[in-house]
Amino acid sequence: MGIMDEIKKAGKGISRALKDITSAPFVQEMCKTTANMYRLGWDERNGGNISYMLDEKEVGEYLDLKKVIRTIPFMGVNAADFDAKPLAGKLFIVTGTGKYFKNVQDDPEANLGIVRIAQDGKSAELLWGYKDGGRTTSEFPAHMMSHMARLKVDPENRVVMHCHPTYTLAMNYVHELDEKKFTHTLWEMCTECIVVFPDGIGILPWMLCGTNEIGVATAKKMEEFRLVVWAMHGIYGAGKDMDETFGLIETVEKAAQIYMLTAHLPRKNTITDEGMVQLAELFKVNYRKDFLNLK
């Protein structure tokens, strides 16, 4: 082999060198988002979870995709009842079960994991993270059900986010848990609301979390809504990227805060339904006309 061949061979080796995974944009996004959610009081202790579908080519710049650290069975579901085959081969970065959002930024490798859904749809292959022996959030099966439901509606959906925003949760206790009425009240609170979540908000009654049943019920709602309230628990949001999903929940929480600050006071002003129609039409959003009270 000549010297030029040696140089070319060495060059190829260098080009295949993997980048530092902690510097990856998707890891940084998870770190910043979880820190933000904790700062806002949406994710106390280990409350809340995020799953983010990744691009295989992009992840391949940071990880050897053939190297599986271990296999993680799905929690909270009976294998016979749950099938994630539609997501087989898909890569996700997921918050870990029992992990505190406040710790993610300081130690992402312990609190996050990158997994690939196994071909049988019954488990996840760990490619990075959970270095202390951890595993995906117990609600990962519910996330996957929601991912599958949203991908049928929007092929670009990549994020599912669950948290416990304070005012949204407080509103559950004092407002009728009717999807039309709940959505309409929030739409009235901020001019931007009908533009940001024109599809409204789905609502589930209180259910046991981390189970197949709540995952199925949430996924069913996700066929119609990008936001689903788990009564007396929190909210689920889905979107194309982290900013969109965070922004959906952030807008709901702001509206819920205004509602809770004013609900006990006499209402003198409001955004009319006719005004909401004008907003929706100006911004060309497909809004739930049946959630308005038009003459």
Side-chain angles (χ1 to χ4, degrees):
M1 182 181 291
I3 188 166
M4 291 306 297
D5 292 324
E6 291 287 355
I7 291 172
K8 287 179 181 179
K9 182 179 179 181
K12 287 180 181 179
I14 292 170
S15 67
R16 288 197 299 268
L18 298 174
K19 301 176 185 177
D20 175 17
I21 184 68
T22 59
S23 69
F26 45 86
V27 173
Q28 288 298 307
E29 273 190 287
M30 287 288 279
C31 289
K32 291 174 183 176
T33 302
T34 51
N36 232 350
M37 293 169 77
Y38 180 78
R39 177 183 60 81
L40 289 167
W42 297 0
D43 296 274
E44 71 292 339
R45 200 172 184 269
N46 62 318
N49 27 77
I50 303 173
S51 60
Y52 179 11
M53 187 186 299
L54 304 177
D55 178 78
E56 183 175 324
K57 184 177 179 181
E58 184 179 10
V59 178
E61 296 179 12
Y62 300 89
L63 295 177
D64 179 354
L65 300 181
K66 296 179 181 178
K67 184 179 179 181
V68 176
I69 299 171
R70 54 190 163 92
T71 298
I72 302 175
F74 297 136
M75 298 171 65
V77 288
N78 185 316
D81 298 329
F82 179 68
D83 183 7
K85 280 182 183 175
L87 296 174
K90 298 293 185 183
L91 302 176
F92 292 87
I93 184 167
V94 191
T95 50
T97 185
K99 301 300 184 182
Y100 292 27
F101 271 27
K102 71 182 181 69
N103 295 332
V104 174
Q105 202 159 34
D106 290 335
D107 193 355
E109 192 175 0
N111 296 284
L112 302 174
I114 294 176
V115 299
R116 178 172 52 216
I117 308 305
Q119 289 303 312
D120 64 0
K122 301 295 183 182
S123 60
E125 299 167 344
L126 180 64
L127 304 177
W128 173 84
Y130 308 141
K131 67 179 183 182
D132 57 359
R135 55 195 297 168
T136 57
T137 170
S138 60
E139 290 175 6
F140 190 39
H143 280 240
M144 286 184 283
M145 291 180 205
S146 289
H147 277 288
M148 289 186 280
R150 287 307 306 168
L151 286 168
K152 292 177 183 177
V153 179
D154 180 3
E156 294 184 11
N157 188 86
R158 295 178 67 192
V159 176
V160 170
M161 183 181 291
H162 169 59
C163 57
H164 310 152
T166 306
Y167 290 96
T168 304
L169 188 54
M171 191 173 167
N172 288 191
Y173 291 90
V174 298
H175 193 287
E176 189 173 351
L177 292 176
D178 172 88
E179 290 172 347
K180 175 180 177 178
K181 293 177 181 177
F182 199 89
T183 297
H184 191 280
T185 293
L186 293 174
W187 279 353
E188 286 182 284
M189 295 300 107
C190 302
T191 296
E192 66 180 347
C193 284
I194 196 170
V195 177
V196 175
F197 52 98
D199 41 347
I201 297 175
I203 298 177
L204 290 176
W206 187 92
M207 298 175 70
L208 186 62
C209 59
T211 64
N212 192 69
E213 289 73 23
I214 198 168
V216 170
T218 305
K220 185 64 178 175
K221 291 290 183 183
M222 282 282 179
E223 294 175 2
E224 188 177 355
F225 304 98
R226 290 174 297 159
L227 291 158
V228 179
V229 164
W230 284 5
M232 283 68 75
H233 182 150
I235 193 168
Y236 250 62
K240 297 177 183 178
D241 54 39
M242 203 73 79
D243 277 349
E244 179 185 50
T245 314
F246 183 92
L248 283 169
I249 296 172
E250 183 179 36
T251 306
V252 169
E253 174 66 354
K254 179 63 174 287
Q257 180 179 11
I258 294 170
Y259 173 77
M260 292 304 296
L261 290 171
T262 60
H264 62 293
L265 301 171
R267 179 76 67 85
K268 293 187 177 181
N269 304 295
T270 194
I271 302 171
T272 66
D273 286 50
E274 290 74 19
M276 292 182 205
V277 171
Q278 289 179 318
L279 280 164
E281 292 181 350
L282 174 65
F283 288 94
K284 296 180 173 58
V285 294
N286 186 20
Y287 63 100
R288 289 289 299 258
K289 296 177 179 63
D290 57 323
F291 277 16
L292 293 177
N293 302 311
L294 298 170
K295 296 177 182 178

